[in-house]
Amino acid sequence: MHNGNGGDKLNEQNNKIKQLVEEATEKGRELLNEGLEGAKELLEKKTAELKLKAAEYGLDETADTVRSYVKKNPWKSVGIAVAVGLFLGRLTASSDRD
């Protein structure tokens, strides 16, 4: 004698679990999107602040010049960045040993 109610209860529980997982997934997506929007807004705000500070110190023209140079000479720019990085790495490594 097999009671059919057990299978119905199992299906009902599976459906409830599925629904809970779907709701949790949707809520997670909403929270993630809110977090991304907040991060994007903060980045835009900080970028605007940095641009204002750069303009105050006259660095906006320098930044444009550097950006233009890097676009015209990408490999040379990478080489310069690597050289500066190695130099600073050696400089800080030797000061750490003292």
Side-chain angles (χ1 to χ4, degrees):
M1 293 184 165
H2 188 266
N3 190 350
N5 288 342
D8 290 342
K9 285 185 180 183
L10 186 59
N11 284 336
E12 187 179 318
Q13 288 177 342
N14 282 341
N15 288 337
K16 284 182 182 180
I17 290 171
K18 246 187 196 178
Q19 184 179 1
L20 288 172
V21 168
E22 288 173 3
E23 288 173 7
T25 302
E26 184 60 32
K27 185 64 176 174
R29 281 189 187 122
E30 289 173 12
L31 291 172
L32 181 61
N33 286 335
E34 288 174 15
L36 288 173
E37 282 299 315
K40 183 180 175 184
E41 289 173 10
L42 181 62
L43 179 62
E44 289 172 355
K45 178 182 174 186
K46 292 298 179 184
T47 300
E49 289 174 7
L50 285 173
K51 284 182 180 180
L52 284 174
K53 283 288 182 190
E56 282 179 27
Y57 293 107
L59 298 176
D60 50 343
E61 290 176 21
T62 304
D64 288 340
T65 303
V66 170
R67 195 175 298 112
S68 174
Y69 179 83
V70 169
K71 282 184 180 181
K72 290 178 185 173
N73 306 290
W75 289 111
K76 193 182 273 188
S77 301
V78 169
I80 292 169
V82 168
V84 169
L86 288 172
F87 173 75
L88 291 175
R90 290 203 181 246
L91 186 67
T92 57
S94 64
S95 67
D96 287 343
R97 284 188 232 140
D98 295 336

